[in-house]
Amino acid sequence: MTLYGAGSSSVIWGGQPAPFAIAVWALVTLALGLAGIVLLARIHNLSGPPAPRQKFNKVLARNIGAVILIYAIAEGISAGALHALHQDALIFPIAVGIVGVHFWVFARVLGIWQYYVTGILDCLAVAITFLLASPDSKVGSMPSWIFYPLLGGGVALFVTAGLMLYESGLIVMRLSRAPAEGAM
């Protein structure tokens, strides 16, 4: 999530960013990346036997495949229809909106509540773009209807990464205390 968020939000580099925006982007990317590395090290250091491997879950795999297939079809149909209607400026923001909806479905299929947040923030970024920017406006040399949904999607992914790291940290903390409490 952190890497996807950094990649998506790196659009600020093309929008004639203020040094402050670049510093915030770099700090958030670095902080989330380091937090992930620290968390992985803590997981590696947990004592105890490894958990048995789960068997392949065909139902889950089929559900994930269905979500990805429906997502790809929706993206293709929407892009084709918007192009046929000569509304090419709408293709990218609508695609980001579809990504947001796909995160809602994945949240349900995978049981990952943080994906609801990602989906809501993706759709919110598109809605704000439509409300505040015109199709022909630009941020630097980039069309605003590409810039703002990408930036918003990156922020959504950063928020999701932070929420996932926080929850994972709580779980690791609980697991690392469990053996010590059981020894008493």
Side-chain angles (χ1 to χ4, degrees), residues 101-172:
V101 172
H102 125 282
F103 269 108
W104 293 342
V105 177
F106 262 139
R108 180 156 170 80
V109 167
L110 299 174
I112 299 173
W113 67 268
Q114 293 92 340
Y115 283 0
Y116 285 115
V117 175
T118 310
I120 290 167
L121 293 175
D122 278 347
C123 292
L124 187 61
V126 171
I128 290 171
T129 299
F130 285 156
L131 289 172
L132 299 180
S134 65
D136 57 341
S137 64
K138 293 192 179 284
V139 177
S141 60
M142 185 176 291
S144 61
W145 279 21
I146 293 175
F147 181 86
Y148 292 120
L150 262 177
L151 182 61
V155 169
L157 291 167
F158 277 151
V159 169
T160 303
L163 292 171
M164 290 176 140
L165 285 168
Y166 178 74
E167 183 179 37
S168 298
L170 292 176
I171 292 168
V172 169

Short mmCIF file of all heavy atoms in Angstrom, two decimals, residues 101-172:
data_model
loop_
_atom_site.label_atom_id
_atom_site.label_comp_id
_atom_site.label_asym_id
_atom_site.label_seq_id
_atom_site.Cartn_x
_atom_site.Cartn_y
_atom_site.Cartn_z
N VAL A 101 -14.81 1.74 -5.97
CA VAL A 101 -15.89 0.76 -5.78
C VAL A 101 -15.30 -0.65 -5.68
O VAL A 101 -15.75 -1.46 -4.87
CB VAL A 101 -16.93 0.86 -6.92
CG1 VAL A 101 -17.93 -0.26 -6.85
CG2 VAL A 101 -17.64 2.22 -6.86
N HIS A 102 -14.28 -0.93 -6.48
CA HIS A 102 -13.64 -2.25 -6.43
C HIS A 102 -13.02 -2.50 -5.05
O HIS A 102 -13.02 -3.62 -4.55
CB HIS A 102 -12.65 -2.38 -7.60
CG HIS A 102 -11.25 -2.74 -7.27
ND1 HIS A 102 -10.35 -1.82 -6.78
CD2 HIS A 102 -10.57 -3.90 -7.38
CE1 HIS A 102 -9.19 -2.41 -6.60
NE2 HIS A 102 -9.29 -3.68 -6.96
N PHE A 103 -12.51 -1.44 -4.40
CA PHE A 103 -11.98 -1.61 -3.05
C PHE A 103 -13.10 -1.96 -2.06
O PHE A 103 -12.89 -2.73 -1.12
CB PHE A 103 -11.22 -0.37 -2.58
CG PHE A 103 -9.75 -0.43 -2.90
CD1 PHE A 103 -9.21 0.37 -3.89
CD2 PHE A 103 -8.91 -1.28 -2.20
CE1 PHE A 103 -7.86 0.32 -4.19
CE2 PHE A 103 -7.55 -1.33 -2.49
CZ PHE A 103 -7.03 -0.53 -3.48
N TRP A 104 -14.29 -1.38 -2.25
CA TRP A 104 -15.41 -1.73 -1.37
C TRP A 104 -15.74 -3.22 -1.50
O TRP A 104 -15.97 -3.89 -0.50
CB TRP A 104 -16.65 -0.93 -1.71
CG TRP A 104 -16.57 0.53 -1.43
CD1 TRP A 104 -15.68 1.18 -0.63
CD2 TRP A 104 -17.41 1.54 -1.96
NE1 TRP A 104 -15.91 2.53 -0.65
CE2 TRP A 104 -16.98 2.78 -1.44
CE3 TRP A 104 -18.50 1.52 -2.82
CZ2 TRP A 104 -17.60 3.97 -1.76
CZ3 TRP A 104 -19.12 2.72 -3.14
CH2 TRP A 104 -18.67 3.93 -2.61
N VAL A 105 -15.76 -3.69 -2.73
CA VAL A 105 -16.07 -5.11 -2.95
C VAL A 105 -14.97 -5.98 -2.35
O VAL A 105 -15.25 -6.99 -1.70
CB VAL A 105 -16.29 -5.40 -4.45
CG1 VAL A 105 -16.54 -6.88 -4.68
CG2 VAL A 105 -17.44 -4.56 -5.01
N PHE A 106 -13.71 -5.60 -2.57
CA PHE A 106 -12.61 -6.36 -1.98
C PHE A 106 -12.67 -6.34 -0.45
O PHE A 106 -12.33 -7.33 0.20
CB PHE A 106 -11.25 -5.85 -2.45
CG PHE A 106 -10.67 -6.64 -3.58
CD1 PHE A 106 -10.04 -6.01 -4.62
CD2 PHE A 106 -10.73 -8.02 -3.60
CE1 PHE A 106 -9.48 -6.74 -5.67
CE2 PHE A 106 -10.18 -8.76 -4.62
CZ PHE A 106 -9.56 -8.12 -5.67
N ALA A 107 -13.08 -5.22 0.12
CA ALA A 107 -13.21 -5.15 1.58
C ALA A 107 -14.16 -6.22 2.07
O ALA A 107 -13.90 -6.90 3.07
CB ALA A 107 -13.70 -3.76 2.00
N ARG A 108 -15.24 -6.40 1.35
CA ARG A 108 -16.24 -7.41 1.74
C ARG A 108 -15.72 -8.83 1.49
O ARG A 108 -15.83 -9.69 2.35
CB ARG A 108 -17.53 -7.17 0.99
CG ARG A 108 -18.61 -8.15 1.33
CD ARG A 108 -19.98 -7.57 1.05
NE ARG A 108 -21.01 -8.55 1.15
CZ ARG A 108 -21.55 -8.97 2.29
NH1 ARG A 108 -21.11 -8.49 3.43
NH2 ARG A 108 -22.51 -9.86 2.30
N VAL A 109 -15.15 -9.06 0.32
CA VAL A 109 -14.68 -10.39 -0.05
C VAL A 109 -13.53 -10.85 0.84
O VAL A 109 -13.49 -11.99 1.28
CB VAL A 109 -14.26 -10.43 -1.54
CG1 VAL A 109 -13.48 -11.69 -1.88
CG2 VAL A 109 -15.47 -10.30 -2.45
N LEU A 110 -12.59 -9.95 1.12
CA LEU A 110 -11.40 -10.31 1.89
C LEU A 110 -11.54 -10.06 3.39
O LEU A 110 -10.68 -10.49 4.16
CB LEU A 110 -10.18 -9.55 1.36
CG LEU A 110 -9.81 -9.82 -0.09
CD1 LEU A 110 -8.69 -8.89 -0.54
CD2 LEU A 110 -9.43 -11.27 -0.29
N GLY A 111 -12.59 -9.34 3.78
CA GLY A 111 -12.77 -9.03 5.19
C GLY A 111 -11.73 -8.05 5.71
O GLY A 111 -11.27 -8.16 6.85
N ILE A 112 -11.35 -7.09 4.88
CA ILE A 112 -10.35 -6.09 5.27
C ILE A 112 -11.04 -4.73 5.34
O ILE A 112 -11.29 -4.09 4.32
CB ILE A 112 -9.18 -6.06 4.26
CG1 ILE A 112 -8.49 -7.42 4.21
CG2 ILE A 112 -8.19 -4.95 4.61
CD1 ILE A 112 -7.44 -7.56 3.14
N TRP A 113 -11.37 -4.31 6.56
CA TRP A 113 -12.16 -3.09 6.73
C TRP A 113 -11.45 -1.85 6.20
O TRP A 113 -12.10 -0.89 5.77
CB TRP A 113 -12.58 -2.91 8.19
CG TRP A 113 -11.44 -2.63 9.12
CD1 TRP A 113 -10.73 -3.54 9.83
CD2 TRP A 113 -10.89 -1.36 9.45
NE1 TRP A 113 -9.76 -2.92 10.58
CE2 TRP A 113 -9.83 -1.57 10.37
CE3 TRP A 113 -11.17 -0.05 9.06
CZ2 TRP A 113 -9.08 -0.53 10.89
CZ3 TRP A 113 -10.42 0.98 9.59
CH2 TRP A 113 -9.39 0.74 10.49
N GLN A 114 -10.13 -1.84 6.19
CA GLN A 114 -9.39 -0.67 5.74
C GLN A 114 -9.65 -0.39 4.25
O GLN A 114 -9.54 0.75 3.81
CB GLN A 114 -7.88 -0.87 5.96
CG GLN A 114 -7.48 -0.92 7.41
CD GLN A 114 -7.44 -2.33 7.98
OE1 GLN A 114 -8.05 -3.25 7.45
NE2 GLN A 114 -6.74 -2.50 9.08
N TYR A 115 -10.00 -1.41 3.49
CA TYR A 115 -10.29 -1.20 2.07
C TYR A 115 -11.56 -0.36 1.86
O TYR A 115 -11.69 0.30 0.84
CB TYR A 115 -10.41 -2.53 1.33
CG TYR A 115 -9.09 -3.20 1.03
CD1 TYR A 115 -7.87 -2.65 1.40
CD2 TYR A 115 -9.07 -4.42 0.37
CE1 TYR A 115 -6.67 -3.28 1.11
CE2 TYR A 115 -7.87 -5.06 0.08
CZ TYR A 115 -6.69 -4.48 0.45
OH TYR A 115 -5.51 -5.11 0.15
N TYR A 116 -12.48 -0.39 2.82
CA TYR A 116 -13.64 0.51 2.73
C TYR A 116 -13.16 1.96 2.76
O TYR A 116 -13.66 2.81 2.01
CB TYR A 116 -14.63 0.27 3.88
CG TYR A 116 -15.45 -0.98 3.75
CD1 TYR A 116 -15.31 -2.02 4.66
CD2 TYR A 116 -16.38 -1.13 2.71
CE1 TYR A 116 -16.07 -3.17 4.55
CE2 TYR A 116 -17.13 -2.28 2.60
CZ TYR A 116 -16.98 -3.30 3.52
OH TYR A 116 -17.73 -4.44 3.41
N VAL A 117 -12.20 2.24 3.62
CA VAL A 117 -11.66 3.60 3.72
C VAL A 117 -11.02 4.00 2.39
O VAL A 117 -11.24 5.11 1.89
CB VAL A 117 -10.63 3.68 4.88
CG1 VAL A 117 -9.96 5.05 4.92
CG2 VAL A 117 -11.30 3.37 6.21
N THR A 118 -10.24 3.09 1.81
CA THR A 118 -9.60 3.38 0.52
C THR A 118 -10.65 3.70 -0.53
O THR A 118 -10.52 4.67 -1.28
CB THR A 118 -8.77 2.16 0.04
OG1 THR A 118 -7.94 1.73 1.09
CG2 THR A 118 -7.94 2.52 -1.17
N GLY A 119 -11.68 2.87 -0.60
CA GLY A 119 -12.73 3.09 -1.59
C GLY A 119 -13.45 4.41 -1.41
O GLY A 119 -13.70 5.14 -2.38
N ILE A 120 -13.77 4.73 -0.18
CA ILE A 120 -14.45 6.00 0.10
C ILE A 120 -13.56 7.18 -0.28
O ILE A 120 -14.02 8.13 -0.94
CB ILE A 120 -14.87 6.08 1.59
CG1 ILE A 120 -16.01 5.09 1.86
CG2 ILE A 120 -15.27 7.50 1.98
CD1 ILE A 120 -16.28 4.85 3.33
N LEU A 121 -12.30 7.13 0.10
CA LEU A 121 -11.39 8.24 -0.21
C LEU A 121 -11.14 8.37 -1.72
O LEU A 121 -11.03 9.48 -2.23
CB LEU A 121 -10.08 8.09 0.55
CG LEU A 121 -10.19 8.26 2.07
CD1 LEU A 121 -8.85 7.98 2.74
CD2 LEU A 121 -10.72 9.64 2.44
N ASP A 122 -11.04 7.24 -2.44
CA ASP A 122 -10.89 7.30 -3.90
C ASP A 122 -12.09 8.00 -4.53
O ASP A 122 -11.94 8.89 -5.37
CB ASP A 122 -10.76 5.89 -4.50
CG ASP A 122 -9.36 5.32 -4.42
OD1 ASP A 122 -8.42 6.07 -4.14
OD2 ASP A 122 -9.22 4.10 -4.65
N CYS A 123 -13.28 7.57 -4.14
CA CYS A 123 -14.50 8.18 -4.71
C CYS A 123 -14.64 9.63 -4.29
O CYS A 123 -15.09 10.47 -5.08
CB CYS A 123 -15.73 7.36 -4.31
SG CYS A 123 -15.77 5.72 -5.08
N LEU A 124 -14.23 9.95 -3.08
CA LEU A 124 -14.27 11.34 -2.60
C LEU A 124 -13.32 12.22 -3.41
O LEU A 124 -13.66 13.36 -3.77
CB LEU A 124 -13.92 11.38 -1.11
CG LEU A 124 -14.08 12.71 -0.40
CD1 LEU A 124 -15.53 13.18 -0.47
CD2 LEU A 124 -13.64 12.58 1.05
N ALA A 125 -12.14 11.70 -3.74
CA ALA A 125 -11.18 12.46 -4.55
C ALA A 125 -11.78 12.77 -5.93
O ALA A 125 -11.62 13.89 -6.44
CB ALA A 125 -9.88 11.68 -4.72
N VAL A 126 -12.48 11.82 -6.50
CA VAL A 126 -13.12 12.04 -7.80
C VAL A 126 -14.23 13.07 -7.67
O VAL A 126 -14.34 14.01 -8.47
CB VAL A 126 -13.65 10.72 -8.39
CG1 VAL A 126 -14.49 10.96 -9.62
CG2 VAL A 126 -12.49 9.77 -8.70
N ALA A 127 -15.06 12.93 -6.64
CA ALA A 127 -16.17 13.88 -6.45
C ALA A 127 -15.66 15.30 -6.24
O ALA A 127 -16.20 16.25 -6.83
CB ALA A 127 -17.03 13.42 -5.26
N ILE A 128 -14.63 15.45 -5.43
CA ILE A 128 -14.07 16.79 -5.19
C ILE A 128 -13.49 17.35 -6.49
O ILE A 128 -13.64 18.54 -6.78
CB ILE A 128 -13.01 16.73 -4.06
CG1 ILE A 128 -13.71 16.47 -2.73
CG2 ILE A 128 -12.19 18.01 -4.01
CD1 ILE A 128 -12.76 16.17 -1.58
N THR A 129 -12.83 16.50 -7.26
CA THR A 129 -12.29 16.95 -8.55
C THR A 129 -13.40 17.48 -9.44
O THR A 129 -13.28 18.55 -10.04
CB THR A 129 -11.55 15.79 -9.26
OG1 THR A 129 -10.46 15.38 -8.43
CG2 THR A 129 -11.03 16.22 -10.61
N PHE A 130 -14.50 16.73 -9.54
CA PHE A 130 -15.62 17.15 -10.39
C PHE A 130 -16.23 18.46 -9.88
O PHE A 130 -16.66 19.30 -10.68
CB PHE A 130 -16.70 16.08 -10.45
CG PHE A 130 -16.34 14.90 -11.33
CD1 PHE A 130 -16.95 13.68 -11.12
CD2 PHE A 130 -15.41 15.00 -12.35
CE1 PHE A 130 -16.65 12.58 -11.92
CE2 PHE A 130 -15.09 13.91 -13.15
CZ PHE A 130 -15.71 12.70 -12.93
N LEU A 131 -16.27 18.63 -8.56
CA LEU A 131 -16.88 19.83 -7.99
C LEU A 131 -15.99 21.07 -8.12
O LEU A 131 -16.50 22.18 -8.31
CB LEU A 131 -17.22 19.61 -6.52
CG LEU A 131 -18.38 18.67 -6.23
CD1 LEU A 131 -18.46 18.40 -4.73
CD2 LEU A 131 -19.69 19.24 -6.75
N LEU A 132 -14.68 20.90 -8.01
CA LEU A 132 -13.80 22.05 -7.90
C LEU A 132 -12.94 22.35 -9.12
O LEU A 132 -12.34 23.42 -9.20
CB LEU A 132 -12.88 21.89 -6.68
CG LEU A 132 -13.58 21.77 -5.33
CD1 LEU A 132 -12.57 21.60 -4.21
CD2 LEU A 132 -14.48 22.97 -5.07
N ALA A 133 -12.84 21.42 -10.06
CA ALA A 133 -11.96 21.64 -11.21
C ALA A 133 -12.76 21.50 -12.50
O ALA A 133 -13.70 20.72 -12.57
CB ALA A 133 -10.82 20.63 -11.20
N SER A 134 -12.35 22.25 -13.50
CA SER A 134 -12.99 22.11 -14.81
C SER A 134 -12.18 21.14 -15.65
O SER A 134 -10.98 20.95 -15.42
CB SER A 134 -13.09 23.47 -15.49
OG SER A 134 -11.81 23.97 -15.77
N PRO A 135 -12.80 20.52 -16.64
CA PRO A 135 -12.10 19.52 -17.44
C PRO A 135 -10.86 20.05 -18.17
O PRO A 135 -9.94 19.31 -18.44
CB PRO A 135 -13.15 19.05 -18.45
CG PRO A 135 -14.44 19.52 -17.95
CD PRO A 135 -14.19 20.66 -17.03
N ASP A 136 -10.84 21.34 -18.46
CA ASP A 136 -9.71 21.90 -19.20
C ASP A 136 -8.67 22.58 -18.30
O ASP A 136 -7.67 23.10 -18.79
CB ASP A 136 -10.22 22.89 -20.26
CG ASP A 136 -11.05 24.01 -19.65
OD1 ASP A 136 -11.54 23.86 -18.52
OD2 ASP A 136 -11.23 25.03 -20.34
N SER A 137 -8.88 22.54 -16.98
CA SER A 137 -7.90 23.15 -16.08
C SER A 137 -6.68 22.24 -15.94
O SER A 137 -6.74 21.04 -16.18
CB SER A 137 -8.53 23.44 -14.71
OG SER A 137 -8.91 22.24 -14.07
N LYS A 138 -5.58 22.85 -15.54
CA LYS A 138 -4.32 22.11 -15.41
C LYS A 138 -3.66 22.43 -14.08
O LYS A 138 -3.85 23.48 -13.51
CB LYS A 138 -3.38 22.48 -16.56
CG LYS A 138 -3.87 22.01 -17.92
CD LYS A 138 -2.75 22.15 -18.93
CE LYS A 138 -3.18 21.67 -20.29
NZ LYS A 138 -3.24 20.23 -20.41
N VAL A 139 -2.86 21.47 -13.63
CA VAL A 139 -1.98 21.66 -12.48
C VAL A 139 -0.58 21.44 -13.05
O VAL A 139 -0.22 20.33 -13.41
CB VAL A 139 -2.28 20.67 -11.35
CG1 VAL A 139 -1.29 20.84 -10.22
CG2 VAL A 139 -3.71 20.80 -10.87
N GLY A 140 0.16 22.51 -13.19
CA GLY A 140 1.42 22.43 -13.93
C GLY A 140 1.07 22.15 -15.38
O GLY A 140 0.27 22.86 -15.99
N SER A 141 1.62 21.10 -15.92
CA SER A 141 1.31 20.75 -17.30
C SER A 141 0.33 19.58 -17.38
O SER A 141 0.01 19.11 -18.46
CB SER A 141 2.60 20.37 -18.04
OG SER A 141 3.21 19.27 -17.40
N MET A 142 -0.17 19.12 -16.23
CA MET A 142 -1.04 17.95 -16.19
C MET A 142 -2.50 18.37 -16.05
O MET A 142 -2.82 19.25 -15.26
CB MET A 142 -0.64 17.07 -15.01
CG MET A 142 -1.38 15.76 -14.93
SD MET A 142 -0.76 14.74 -13.59
CE MET A 142 0.84 14.32 -14.24
N PRO A 143 -3.41 17.72 -16.79
CA PRO A 143 -4.83 18.01 -16.62
C PRO A 143 -5.27 17.74 -15.18
O PRO A 143 -4.89 16.71 -14.58
CB PRO A 143 -5.52 17.03 -17.59
CG PRO A 143 -4.48 16.67 -18.59
CD PRO A 143 -3.17 16.73 -17.85
N SER A 144 -6.04 18.65 -14.62
CA SER A 144 -6.45 18.51 -13.23
C SER A 144 -7.31 17.28 -13.00
O SER A 144 -7.32 16.72 -11.91
CB SER A 144 -7.18 19.77 -12.76
OG SER A 144 -8.34 19.97 -13.53
N TRP A 145 -8.02 16.83 -14.03
CA TRP A 145 -8.87 15.65 -13.88
C TRP A 145 -8.04 14.36 -13.87
O TRP A 145 -8.59 13.28 -13.68
CB TRP A 145 -9.94 15.62 -14.95
CG TRP A 145 -11.11 16.51 -14.61
CD1 TRP A 145 -11.11 17.56 -13.74
CD2 TRP A 145 -12.42 16.42 -15.12
NE1 TRP A 145 -12.34 18.14 -13.68
CE2 TRP A 145 -13.18 17.44 -14.53
CE3 TRP A 145 -13.05 15.58 -16.03
CZ2 TRP A 145 -14.52 17.65 -14.80
CZ3 TRP A 145 -14.38 15.79 -16.31
CH2 TRP A 145 -15.11 16.81 -15.70
N ILE A 146 -6.76 14.47 -14.08
CA ILE A 146 -5.85 13.34 -13.88
C ILE A 146 -5.08 13.56 -12.58
O ILE A 146 -4.94 12.67 -11.76
CB ILE A 146 -4.90 13.16 -15.07
CG1 ILE A 146 -5.70 12.72 -16.30
CG2 ILE A 146 -3.78 12.16 -14.75
CD1 ILE A 146 -4.90 12.63 -17.58
N PHE A 147 -4.59 14.79 -12.39
CA PHE A 147 -3.76 15.12 -11.23
C PHE A 147 -4.48 14.84 -9.90
O PHE A 147 -3.96 14.11 -9.05
CB PHE A 147 -3.35 16.60 -11.29
CG PHE A 147 -2.48 17.03 -10.16
CD1 PHE A 147 -1.11 16.87 -10.22
CD2 PHE A 147 -3.03 17.62 -9.03
CE1 PHE A 147 -0.30 17.27 -9.17
CE2 PHE A 147 -2.23 18.02 -7.97
CZ PHE A 147 -0.86 17.85 -8.05
N TYR A 148 -5.67 15.42 -9.71
CA TYR A 148 -6.33 15.32 -8.41
C TYR A 148 -6.81 13.90 -8.08
O TYR A 148 -6.63 13.47 -6.94
CB TYR A 148 -7.46 16.33 -8.29
CG TYR A 148 -6.95 17.76 -8.22
CD1 TYR A 148 -7.33 18.70 -9.18
CD2 TYR A 148 -6.08 18.15 -7.22
CE1 TYR A 148 -6.84 20.00 -9.13
CE2 TYR A 148 -5.59 19.45 -7.16
CZ TYR A 148 -5.98 20.36 -8.11
OH TYR A 148 -5.51 21.65 -8.06
N PRO A 149 -7.39 13.15 -9.02
CA PRO A 149 -7.73 11.76 -8.66
C PRO A 149 -6.50 10.91 -8.33
O PRO A 149 -6.55 10.07 -7.42
CB PRO A 149 -8.46 11.23 -9.90
CG PRO A 149 -9.04 12.45 -10.54
CD PRO A 149 -8.01 13.52 -10.31
N LEU A 150 -5.40 11.12 -9.05
CA LEU A 150 -4.17 10.38 -8.73
C LEU A 150 -3.65 10.76 -7.34
O LEU A 150 -3.30 9.88 -6.55
CB LEU A 150 -3.08 10.69 -9.76
CG LEU A 150 -2.89 9.70 -10.90
CD1 LEU A 150 -1.83 10.21 -11.86
CD2 LEU A 150 -2.58 8.32 -10.42
N LEU A 151 -3.61 12.04 -7.07
CA LEU A 151 -3.14 12.50 -5.76
C LEU A 151 -4.06 11.98 -4.66
O LEU A 151 -3.58 11.46 -3.64
CB LEU A 151 -3.07 14.03 -5.73
CG LEU A 151 -2.56 14.65 -4.44
CD1 LEU A 151 -1.13 14.20 -4.15
CD2 LEU A 151 -2.63 16.17 -4.52
N GLY A 152 -5.36 12.09 -4.87
CA GLY A 152 -6.32 11.59 -3.88
C GLY A 152 -6.21 10.09 -3.68
O GLY A 152 -6.30 9.59 -2.55
N GLY A 153 -6.01 9.36 -4.78
CA GLY A 153 -5.82 7.91 -4.67
C GLY A 153 -4.57 7.57 -3.89
O GLY A 153 -4.54 6.62 -3.10
N GLY A 154 -3.51 8.35 -4.11
CA GLY A 154 -2.27 8.13 -3.36
C GLY A 154 -2.47 8.39 -1.87
O GLY A 154 -2.00 7.61 -1.03
N VAL A 155 -3.17 9.46 -1.55
CA VAL A 155 -3.46 9.76 -0.14
C VAL A 155 -4.30 8.64 0.46
O VAL A 155 -4.05 8.20 1.58
CB VAL A 155 -4.15 11.13 -0.01
CG1 VAL A 155 -4.69 11.35 1.39
CG2 VAL A 155 -3.20 12.26 -0.40
N ALA A 156 -5.28 8.15 -0.29
CA ALA A 156 -6.13 7.05 0.19
C ALA A 156 -5.28 5.82 0.51
O ALA A 156 -5.48 5.16 1.53
CB ALA A 156 -7.20 6.72 -0.85
N LEU A 157 -4.33 5.53 -0.35
CA LEU A 157 -3.47 4.37 -0.13
C LEU A 157 -2.54 4.58 1.07
O LEU A 157 -2.27 3.65 1.83
CB LEU A 157 -2.68 4.04 -1.39
CG LEU A 157 -3.54 3.50 -2.55
CD1 LEU A 157 -2.75 3.52 -3.84
CD2 LEU A 157 -4.07 2.12 -2.24
N PHE A 158 -2.04 5.80 1.24
CA PHE A 158 -1.23 6.11 2.42
C PHE A 158 -2.04 5.92 3.71
O PHE A 158 -1.56 5.35 4.68
CB PHE A 158 -0.70 7.54 2.37
CG PHE A 158 0.54 7.75 1.54
CD1 PHE A 158 0.75 8.97 0.93
CD2 PHE A 158 1.50 6.76 1.40
CE1 PHE A 158 1.90 9.20 0.17
CE2 PHE A 158 2.65 6.98 0.66
CZ PHE A 158 2.85 8.19 0.04
N VAL A 159 -3.28 6.42 3.70
CA VAL A 159 -4.14 6.27 4.88
C VAL A 159 -4.39 4.79 5.16
O VAL A 159 -4.30 4.34 6.30
CB VAL A 159 -5.47 7.04 4.69
CG1 VAL A 159 -6.48 6.68 5.77
CG2 VAL A 159 -5.22 8.55 4.67
N THR A 160 -4.67 4.03 4.11
CA THR A 160 -4.91 2.60 4.26
C THR A 160 -3.67 1.91 4.81
O THR A 160 -3.76 1.07 5.72
CB THR A 160 -5.31 1.97 2.92
OG1 THR A 160 -6.47 2.65 2.43
CG2 THR A 160 -5.61 0.49 3.06
N ALA A 161 -2.50 2.24 4.27
CA ALA A 161 -1.26 1.64 4.76
C ALA A 161 -1.07 1.96 6.24
O ALA A 161 -0.70 1.08 7.03
CB ALA A 161 -0.07 2.14 3.95
N GLY A 162 -1.32 3.19 6.62
CA GLY A 162 -1.18 3.58 8.02
C GLY A 162 -2.14 2.81 8.92
O GLY A 162 -1.74 2.33 9.99
N LEU A 163 -3.38 2.67 8.49
CA LEU A 163 -4.36 1.92 9.28
C LEU A 163 -3.98 0.45 9.40
O LEU A 163 -4.10 -0.17 10.46
CB LEU A 163 -5.76 2.05 8.66
CG LEU A 163 -6.40 3.44 8.72
CD1 LEU A 163 -7.67 3.47 7.87
CD2 LEU A 163 -6.70 3.82 10.16
N MET A 164 -3.50 -0.13 8.30
CA MET A 164 -3.09 -1.53 8.32
C MET A 164 -1.85 -1.73 9.20
O MET A 164 -1.77 -2.72 9.95
CB MET A 164 -2.82 -2.03 6.90
CG MET A 164 -4.06 -2.17 6.08
SD MET A 164 -3.65 -2.65 4.40
CE MET A 164 -4.98 -3.81 4.09
N LEU A 165 -0.90 -0.82 9.12
CA LEU A 165 0.29 -0.92 9.97
C LEU A 165 -0.08 -0.80 11.44
O LEU A 165 0.45 -1.52 12.29
CB LEU A 165 1.31 0.15 9.58
CG LEU A 165 2.08 -0.11 8.29
CD1 LEU A 165 2.84 1.14 7.87
CD2 LEU A 165 3.04 -1.28 8.47
N TYR A 166 -0.98 0.12 11.74
CA TYR A 166 -1.40 0.31 13.13
C TYR A 166 -2.07 -0.96 13.67
O TYR A 166 -1.71 -1.45 14.75
CB TYR A 166 -2.35 1.50 13.24
CG TYR A 166 -2.86 1.73 14.63
CD1 TYR A 166 -2.03 2.26 15.61
CD2 TYR A 166 -4.17 1.38 14.98
CE1 TYR A 166 -2.49 2.46 16.91
CE2 TYR A 166 -4.63 1.57 16.26
CZ TYR A 166 -3.80 2.11 17.23
OH TYR A 166 -4.26 2.29 18.50
N GLU A 167 -3.02 -1.49 12.91
CA GLU A 167 -3.72 -2.70 13.36
C GLU A 167 -2.75 -3.88 13.47
O GLU A 167 -2.78 -4.64 14.44
CB GLU A 167 -4.87 -3.06 12.42
CG GLU A 167 -5.65 -4.27 12.89
CD GLU A 167 -6.81 -4.62 11.99
OE1 GLU A 167 -6.69 -4.49 10.76
OE2 GLU A 167 -7.84 -5.05 12.54
N SER A 168 -1.86 -4.02 12.50
CA SER A 168 -0.87 -5.10 12.54
C SER A 168 0.05 -4.94 13.74
O SER A 168 0.42 -5.93 14.40
CB SER A 168 -0.05 -5.13 11.25
OG SER A 168 -0.88 -5.38 10.15
N GLY A 169 0.44 -3.71 14.05
CA GLY A 169 1.28 -3.45 15.22
C GLY A 169 0.61 -3.85 16.50
O GLY A 169 1.24 -4.42 17.40
N LEU A 170 -0.70 -3.57 16.61
CA LEU A 170 -1.44 -3.98 17.81
C LEU A 170 -1.48 -5.50 17.94
O LEU A 170 -1.32 -6.04 19.04
CB LEU A 170 -2.88 -3.43 17.76
CG LEU A 170 -3.03 -1.92 17.89
CD1 LEU A 170 -4.49 -1.52 17.73
CD2 LEU A 170 -2.48 -1.43 19.22
N ILE A 171 -1.67 -6.19 16.82
CA ILE A 171 -1.71 -7.65 16.84
C ILE A 171 -0.35 -8.21 17.25
O ILE A 171 -0.26 -9.11 18.09
CB ILE A 171 -2.15 -8.20 15.47
CG1 ILE A 171 -3.62 -7.84 15.21
CG2 ILE A 171 -1.93 -9.71 15.38
CD1 ILE A 171 -4.08 -8.08 13.79
N VAL A 172 0.72 -7.68 16.67
CA VAL A 172 2.06 -8.15 17.01
C VAL A 172 2.37 -7.88 18.47
O VAL A 172 2.95 -8.72 19.16
CB VAL A 172 3.12 -7.52 16.07
CG1 VAL A 172 4.53 -7.77 16.58
CG2 VAL A 172 2.95 -8.04 14.66
#
